[in-house]
Amino acid sequence: MQPKFLIGLLFALASSFAFALPGPVGKALYGSGWSPGSVTLVRLTGCALVLLVPTLIQLRGKWGEVRAHWRLVVAFGLFSMTGVQATYFVAVERLNVTIAILLEMTAPMMIVFWLWARTKARPSGLTFFGLAISMIGLVAVLDVGSVIGEGSGSLDALGVVMGLASAVCLAVYFMISANDSVRIPSTALTGLGFAVGAIGTVPFVALGLLPWKATTDPVALGQWSAPWFIAHSIIIVFTVAAYVLGVVGLRLMGAGVGSFVNLTEVLFAAVVAWWLLGETLASIQFVGGAAILAGVVFVKLGERPRGRSPMSKKMPGIEPRRRVKWRPTRKKNHKRKDGTPGNKTQNGDKGQSQKKVQEGNQKRPQRREVTPL
């Protein structure tokens, strides 16, 4: 594997771990009286303020790039920040948490089929094999069998729709973050996304889709008790790190492979929940995590090398067409056999202007020569 891919893999794994930590801390905040809407809005607003100065520093002299890609920046904030969290919390409210996460983590599958439909290039067999192994590992990490055995009842239709909508928003995050044609620095793009996301969350809170409730009670983090602002500070710091590292890793790896690496977030979340909240962690979950990583390797091996598609190959005996820049030709002065200039004028008559000059000279009165007496 290329060093660029290995560096991107390290950034993506670090991003997955940073994404996993705010989940259990947010769950602890819910237990102390905070609502999902208040945690989300405080999280996005705090992240935007933390990245305000670095964003302004990195955008010096590059605001033209932001204006050129303002639609992408707005989409990044609304889908990656507001959309992912708002739709996920609605899904969690109506479904089991495990089912909601399973629906959200179908984003890599959506990306594979989206790239297939867009490029008309069928993924290789290794890609499909890695996709299957990763999904099996995800099911093992989430321990879906025990959830189904508990008999959670029929699935709520709106909850399923919101879970799939969360997957779509997550897929948009991967696609935009992996777009290396945008010259906006990763930290600046993340900071702008947080600002747009915080503004976009306000209507959800105002309409009651994300209820607002906040308290100043201490938060129980495992065996420790922390003030509410410490818990929010942990969420904000690790969220900033997760998005910044994630954008860098995705630009080095690509959206397809990077989205599969993000599946390790579920395993990291289970480990953090076991460490902070004392939740049980089964051995099958570690096996599932290993299966997810194995699936990532197969997906990477199944990637087609860039620039080697059948359409890009040079056909034998046919030279590629070259673009020639048009330049106006200069008129050359040439003479006829009789010595008169023969330049063409705009109306196409040769030497017409010179003839007029000669005729005018002939019509002038001749000076009479006076001979001396």
Side-chain angles (χ1 to χ4, degrees), residues 151-186:
S152 56
S154 59
L155 296 177
D156 183 79
L158 181 59
V160 173
V161 171
M162 288 295 102
L164 294 176
S166 178
V168 172
C169 294
L170 188 61
V172 173
Y173 159 71
F174 291 131
M175 298 296 292
I176 294 178
S177 300
N179 188 0
D180 55 359
S181 63
V182 180
R183 301 304 178 186
I184 302 176
S186 57

Side-chain angles (χ1 to χ4, degrees), residues 3 8 81 86 93 114 157 179 182 200 219 223 242 265 269 271 274 355:
M81 310 297 180
E93 184 180 3
W114 164 253
N179 188 0
V182 180
V219 181
Q223 300 178 355
E265 175 190 344
V271 173
W274 166 76
K355 289 183 179 180

Side-chain angles (χ1 to χ4, degrees), residues 116-149:
W116 185 1
R118 183 179 181 182
T119 62
K120 307 299 181 182
R122 181 182 179 276
S124 63
L126 286 176
T127 300
F128 284 115
F129 184 68
L131 174 63
I133 291 180
S134 297
M135 289 297 133
I136 292 173
L138 177 64
V139 171
V141 171
L142 293 174
D143 199 9
V144 178
S146 62
V147 176
I148 297 176

Side-chain angles (χ1 to χ4, degrees), residues 15 19 76 80-81 85 173 190 194 239-247:
S15 173
F19 268 123
F76 184 73
S80 305
M81 310 297 180
Q85 300 190 49
Y173 159 71
T190 307
F194 278 129
T239 301
V240 169
Y243 274 98
V244 173
L245 294 174
V247 173

Side-chain angles (χ1 to χ4, degrees), residues 323-327:
R323 297 182 63 184
V324 180
K325 186 177 180 180
W326 179 83
R327 294 180 179 179

